[in-house]
Amino acid sequence: MKKLFFSFALISCTLHAQNDTISLQPLILNDAFLTNHYKSQSVIQLNDSIINQNPGQLTQLLQAETPIYFKENGRGMVSSPSFRGTLASHTAVVWNGINVNSNMNGQTDFNVFNSNSYDGILIQPGGGSIGYGTGAIGGTIHLLNKFDYKKGLHQSLNLGYGSFDTWAAKYQLKYSSKKFSSSVDYSRNQSDNDYKTPNYLAYNRNGKYYFNSINANFGYRFNPKNEVKIYSMFNFGKREFPLVDFNSTPSGYDNLDYRLMSEWNFKPNDKWQSELKLAYIHEENDFYTNIHQDFATNLKVDNYFLKYYLKHQIAENFQLAVLTEALYNEGGGNNLKASTRNSFNFALIATHKLSDVLSYEASIRQDFSDKYNNPFIYALGINYRPITVYQLRANISKNYRIPTYNDLFWKTGGNPDLKSESAYQFEIGNDYLGKNLKIQSNIFYNKIDDMIQWTPSQNNNSIWVPKNINQAKTYGFELIGSYIYNAFRFNTTYSYIKTKDEKTGKEFMYSPNHKWTASAQYSYKHLSTYIQNIYTGKVFTVTDESATLRDFWTTNFGLNYTISPSYNVGVKVNNIFDQDYQTQENRWQPGINYNIQIQIKF
């Protein structure tokens, strides 16, 4: 009750003052497909003001502001999501229109990504394989960078220090003229990470980490119809993995990832629009079973993308779009059979506005690969908006996930005969879209066939191999709300999710039935304050449901003070009630801790 009273007391107090106004700029969607399609799905938009409240790893931001559950091997360690009850490889991470999930394990480690490397983040619950391919089953997370023009020269320096000898720094330079736009930044985050733990180890041992991120984006606008962009992102870091007991061998992990993409946007008139993307992504990691020895398991994959989108407005109420993508992957390592993969896909999307209040979108897609069989997929979405403030949405889709390099080519158990997973999804949503108040509600059902599961080999129980043997379903309800009134802003999400493994009849591990988030912000002159509440229900930690992690509620509180247009100071206290909790068994999260940020603009 103490937590509940404190949280709502602060929210109540902020309602009495209305001297300033919070202004949230809409996200600028650089990806043409994202701008024009998927209107029958709900969205969660995280703008720069929300991102700035959660500097550091992307996990912290998404854990506090979305219904996604994250399983972490400790603070700053490997972080994997469960979106709508699905597995980590069923959430697609899309960087400016390109799916960047790892081809090694099919998922993204969200602690490698720095949240303030992006100008906006958009979350789309539900299937998205028509536009973004493999893994877009539970939902899609879009990491977006925008291009400003005619803004001149701007520089900023962010410095931070926090508990457990945690340091953070970011320098950014932006310059733009009438036709040219550029943004370059470097950030580093490091920590001794030796927080106290409520077990016999006493504190988090062998938990040090550091992450580096470099982003450089350039745009040139020849004219309003023609624009060329170059994106680049480099991530490299090192971390130790915390011990679970005194006898554990200290292990560690290094990563080196870089992503390069060029993009050409051409819109000659209101009837035609095209977008061409060429991308190269390199992912590499070294896992050390003992950090005091030189030997490491090395894995690396090089990925090449060509993606083309063309839209034609055939009639005033009807448009047709084509989306095609060619991918080439080349992987290897000392425990991975060297191999290559070629794939090609083609999608057709039709959007028809039947009347002023009713429209639908129908799409189909087929992928072709030289290594595995891909299903034919489809999607149908309907929007009905009889009045300005109300909208009814419904969509049905078939989505998929391809086998990863580890599934296909792992030396001690890879299976080259795997086929892609298939997922069938239905969703219905109701939206209230008022000027200050917005409420989205979703009821969804998802059935997954041919799930890839690693099981002991029939010939040797000590060797595990992947097979298409599992079937599962997830279903539930989501509520997403936001309210803005002058200087006050309130966001909340709630999800109720049930999962079931059709073979065992049991629920998935690490998928809570309940998750609730609520955040509030109030600004008055030079001072702003905010609070975040996150409640997570219990999760099962074994497949037979015989062991669980208990539910927990954490609260974060922050203050920001603008000294002048050039100087800003912020203080954030995390887990202010010193809650003991875990998101993965034997991997304790820190108790109460603080962070101080200074921002200088020049």
Side-chain angles (χ1 to χ4, degrees), residues 5-240:
F5 174 79
F6 180 85
S7 301
F8 284 97
L10 177 62
I11 294 172
S12 299
C13 291
T14 61
L15 286 170
H16 293 291
Q18 303 168 6
N19 298 71
D20 292 346
T21 300
I22 291 178
S23 177
L24 296 180
Q25 298 297 320
L27 293 185
I28 297 177
L29 306 181
N30 290 323
D31 180 46
F33 188 92
L34 183 61
T35 303
N36 295 322
H37 305 288
Y38 284 144
K39 304 302 182 184
S40 64
Q41 290 183 244
S42 63
V43 296
I44 303 171
Q45 293 191 12
L46 305 181
N47 297 72
D48 53 0
S49 62
I50 298 176
I51 293 173
N52 291 336
Q53 293 173 8
N54 300 272
Q57 280 83 27
L58 189 56
T59 299
Q60 301 168 22
L61 170 64
L62 298 177
Q63 190 79 281
E65 300 288 343
T66 75
I68 307 172
Y69 173 78
F70 285 89
K71 180 181 68 173
E72 293 183 86
N73 292 334
R75 176 178 178 262
M77 300 297 110
V78 174
S79 171
S80 55
S82 175
F83 203 154
R84 287 189 169 180
T86 59
L87 305 182
S89 56
H90 295 151
T91 297
V93 177
V94 180
W95 171 63
N96 295 299
I98 293 290
N99 188 326
V100 294
N101 277 22
S102 170
N103 273 294
M104 297 180 193
N105 57 22
Q107 62 191 61
T108 293
D109 179 359
F110 285 80
N111 276 336
V112 171
F113 288 82
N114 195 313
S115 61
N116 58 9
S117 294
Y118 311 101
D119 300 302
I121 298 172
L122 188 144
I123 296 92
Q124 286 186 311
S129 289
I130 292 290
Y132 302 107
T134 178
I137 293 176
T140 308
I141 298 171
H142 297 268
L143 309 177
L144 305 169
N145 295 102
K146 67 178 181 179
F147 289 80
D148 292 319
Y149 290 90
K150 297 189 293 186
K151 298 289 186 179
L153 177 65
H154 296 275
Q155 299 180 75
S156 64
L157 178 65
N158 291 59
L159 300 173
Y161 179 77
S163 302
F164 327 121
D165 204 26
T166 300
W167 295 85
K170 178 186 176 183
Y171 169 75
Q172 184 176 54
L173 182 148
K174 288 187 173 183
Y175 173 76
S176 63
S177 60
K178 183 179 179 180
K179 292 190 174 183
F180 177 72
S181 176
S182 64
S183 175
V184 179
D185 66 73
Y186 167 75
S187 60
R188 180 179 173 92
N189 192 313
Q190 67 180 56
S191 178
D192 285 348
N193 212 25
D194 53 353
Y195 51 87
K196 293 180 180 179
T197 57
N199 59 10
Y200 71 96
L201 291 174
Y203 66 91
N204 192 47
R205 300 170 184 266
N206 196 63
K208 290 183 179 180
Y209 65 81
Y210 69 79
F211 299 104
N212 297 277
S213 180
I214 301 173
N215 296 271
N217 303 314
F218 305 94
Y220 189 82
R221 184 180 290 170
F222 295 93
N223 52 54
K225 302 176 181 179
N226 245 319
E227 185 178 10
V228 174
K229 303 172 184 177
I230 296 176
Y231 302 85
S232 63
M233 177 170 59
F234 301 83
N235 298 104
F236 55 98
K238 183 183 184 72
R239 54 189 155 181
E240 301 170 353

Side-chain angles (χ1 to χ4, degrees), residues 280-569:
Y280 166 68
I281 295 177
H282 174 85
E283 47 184 316
E284 183 175 358
N285 61 63
D286 293 300
F287 174 69
Y288 295 85
T289 54
N290 188 332
I291 60 174
H292 303 302
Q293 297 177 356
D294 294 332
F295 177 77
T297 300
N298 172 266
L299 299 173
K300 60 181 177 180
V301 179
D302 291 297
N303 310 277
Y304 302 86
F305 298 80
L306 187 154
K307 188 173 185 178
Y308 182 66
Y309 171 82
L310 177 66
K311 185 196 74 170
H312 179 46
Q313 192 77 33
I314 296 175
E316 184 178 354
N317 64 344
F318 185 79
Q319 69 178 29
L320 195 64
V322 174
L323 180 69
T324 185
E325 187 175 26
L327 300 95
Y328 173 77
N329 315 115
E330 188 175 75
N334 55 18
N335 202 25
L336 195 70
K337 299 174 184 176
S339 187
T340 62
R341 295 191 305 187
N342 280 291
S343 62
F344 172 79
N345 61 69
F346 179 85
L348 191 65
I349 309 103
T351 305
H352 189 189
K353 187 176 181 180
L354 297 171
S355 69
D356 291 337
V357 300
L358 181 63
S359 62
Y360 72 88
E361 179 177 272
S363 50
I364 56 174
R365 171 169 166 157
Q366 180 63 62
D367 288 54
F368 306 92
S369 172
D370 62 344
K371 300 297 182 184
Y372 42 81
N373 295 321
N374 279 317
F376 174 79
I377 63 173
Y378 52 83
L380 174 65
I382 300 172
N383 289 70
Y384 176 63
R385 193 166 183 172
I387 56 176
T388 304
V389 296
Y390 174 74
Q391 176 178 241
L392 174 66
R393 298 174 286 104
N395 65 73
I396 184 171
S397 63
K398 182 179 179 181
N399 302 283
Y400 75 103
R401 183 182 79 86
I402 64 172
T404 67
Y405 263 83
N406 289 359
D407 295 331
L408 294 168
F409 308 122
W410 195 255
K411 285 185 177 179
T412 54
N415 181 0
D417 297 324
L418 291 171
K419 58 183 178 180
S420 296
E421 299 176 352
S422 298
Y424 303 86
Q425 179 179 286
F426 171 76
E427 174 182 331
I428 187 167
N430 287 272
D431 301 337
Y432 175 80
L433 304 170
K435 180 180 178 181
N436 298 320
L437 176 65
K438 293 180 173 59
I439 301 174
Q440 305 174 57
S441 64
N442 303 309
I443 298 173
F444 63 89
Y445 177 86
N446 201 344
K447 184 176 184 294
I448 306 173
D449 290 340
D450 296 317
M451 281 185 64
I452 298 172
Q453 184 176 15
W454 286 70
T455 61
S457 169
Q458 294 180 349
N459 300 323
N460 187 345
N461 286 336
S462 65
I463 297 177
W464 289 54
V465 296
K467 298 178 181 178
N468 293 103
I469 60 173
N470 234 7
Q471 290 185 326
K473 63 181 179 182
T474 72
Y475 56 93
F477 168 79
E478 291 169 339
L479 183 67
I480 303 164
S482 65
Y483 177 75
I484 299 176
Y485 184 70
N486 290 342
F488 176 72
R489 186 195 71 211
F490 176 75
N491 293 332
T492 188
T493 70
Y494 170 74
S495 64
Y496 171 76
I497 299 169
K498 292 291 287 185
T499 65
K500 183 179 180 180
D501 185 317
E502 298 281 35
K503 182 180 179 181
T504 64
K506 305 296 185 181
E507 290 200 43
F508 284 0
M509 298 185 298
Y510 296 104
S511 176
N513 293 145
H514 304 275
K515 186 185 176 189
W516 170 73
T517 71
S519 63
Q521 177 184 337
Y522 169 71
S523 299
Y524 179 76
K525 294 184 177 180
H526 300 291
L527 182 68
S528 68
T529 180
Y530 61 90
I531 188 169
Q532 299 169 328
N533 289 280
I534 310 163
Y535 172 78
T536 304
K538 72 175 184 179
V539 297
F540 295 109
T541 60
V542 291
T543 55
D544 64 2
E545 300 182 356
S546 60
T548 63
L549 295 180
R550 64 179 178 84
D551 63 338
F552 60 89
W553 182 342
T554 58
T555 301
N556 309 322
F557 177 73
L559 290 169
N560 286 303
Y561 184 74
T562 302
I563 301 171
S564 72
S566 299
Y567 296 93
N568 180 278
V569 178

